[in-house]
Amino acid sequence: MTRLQGKTALVTGAAMGIGYAVAERFIAEGARVVLADRNAAAVAEAAGALGPLARAATMDISDEAAVAAAFAELEAAGWTPDVVVANAGVQLFGHDAPAADLDLDVWRRTIDINLTGTFLTVKYAVRALLSRGGGSIILTGSPTAVNGEGRDFTAYSASKAGVHGLGRTVAAAYADRGIRVNTVQPAYTETPLVAAITDDPDSRAAIVSRIPIGRAGTPADVTGIMVYLASDEGSFATGATFSVDGGMTTL
């Protein structure tokens, strides 16, 4: 398993969940991986668990100065990435709501992290990849961006729709300079991010019932497509959305 041999990757939101699973799989495929997260202690522990091919970076993706500093530090240390997975995000259960009931502060916090934070990650990723002669950027999307799954999560759904649009725009802008940008769209995936659903049997059963394959997703379910898009095998794939959702968006 050496499909990513010689590559350096940066994965945001990597202290747990999908981000950690992707980092672990990338290392298994031969890459060096920077695990980035705003929780310094948690990401340091996560990187330590993955061994010498892992490095921790503290990064609040909603803070441009923090993002710029993290990329500069990696460049100085010889860890400039040629693969960037923009995965970090929030879903504010108990606060996000249908539009008429949504507080502006909840909207702003969600957009600041999920959309503006992804933009800032992509902005500095593009600069890093241009210095490397190209590379791959992978965004984590959501079914809420394309169907009615997020009807009770206005801010989250809008932020993820923006991420999908951002991916296509950046892909078009930099395709002729060797940078590929794609979005991976998981289904409901059981991670700490969605504990409010996982811990409620009725809510969990309702959402799983809408997945034709008949089960919830796991972080491991999305790592294979991430490897493909990060590797040279995906050299002709850009501007696309890859659904790994058990058929959820076919309904």
Side-chain angles (χ1 to χ4, degrees), residues 7 14 30 45 61 70 72 82 129 135 137 140 149 179 212 232-233 249:
K7 295 188 182 297
E45 181 178 356
I61 62 169
D82 41 37
L129 269 55
I137 298 172
T140 300
E149 282 299 319
I179 294 176
D232 294 340
E233 296 169 19
T249 49

Side-chain angles (χ1 to χ4, degrees), residues 196-220:
I197 296 175
T198 306
D199 295 342
D200 181 335
D202 291 338
S203 295
R204 184 181 185 279
I207 197 168
V208 170
S209 73
R210 299 195 296 275
I211 302 174
I213 280 182
R215 67 170 177 84
T218 70

Side-chain angles (χ1 to χ4, degrees), residues 4 24 29 32-33 39 45 77 114 121 126 148 154 162 179 183 185 188 191 201 217 222:
L4 302 181
E24 184 177 38
E29 295 284 352
R32 299 188 304 171
V33 180
N39 187 327
E45 181 178 356
N114 290 2
T121 303
V126 167
T154 303
I179 294 176
T183 300
Q185 180 179 288
Y188 163 67
T191 70
V222 301

Side-chain angles (χ1 to χ4, degrees), residues 160-237:
K160 286 299 185 178
V163 167
H164 283 234
L166 176 68
R168 291 189 296 270
T169 299
V170 179
Y174 293 96
D176 62 350
R177 299 172 74 178
I179 294 176
R180 299 182 292 108
V181 187
N182 293 284
T183 300
V184 172
Q185 180 179 288
Y188 163 67
T189 302
E190 293 192 327
T191 70
L193 180 71
V194 296
I197 296 175
T198 306
D199 295 342
D200 181 335
D202 291 338
S203 295
R204 184 181 185 279
I207 197 168
V208 170
S209 73
R210 299 195 296 275
I211 302 174
I213 280 182
R215 67 170 177 84
T218 70
D221 288 325
V222 301
T223 61
I225 190 64
M226 295 276 194
V227 170
Y228 165 73
L229 292 171
S231 76
D232 294 340
E233 296 169 19
S235 63
F236 201 57

Side-chain angles (χ1 to χ4, degrees), residues 37-93:
D37 202 282
R38 64 181 175 177
N39 187 327
V43 78
E45 181 178 356
L50 295 180
L53 290 177
R55 178 187 179 98
T58 304
M59 189 167 77
D60 178 351
I61 62 169
S62 67
D63 180 346
E64 183 166 14
V67 176
F71 274 89
E73 180 182 330
L74 294 175
E75 180 180 6
W79 281 68
T80 300
D82 41 37
V83 176
V84 174
V85 180
N87 169 74
V90 295
Q91 188 166 6
L92 301 180
F93 289 95

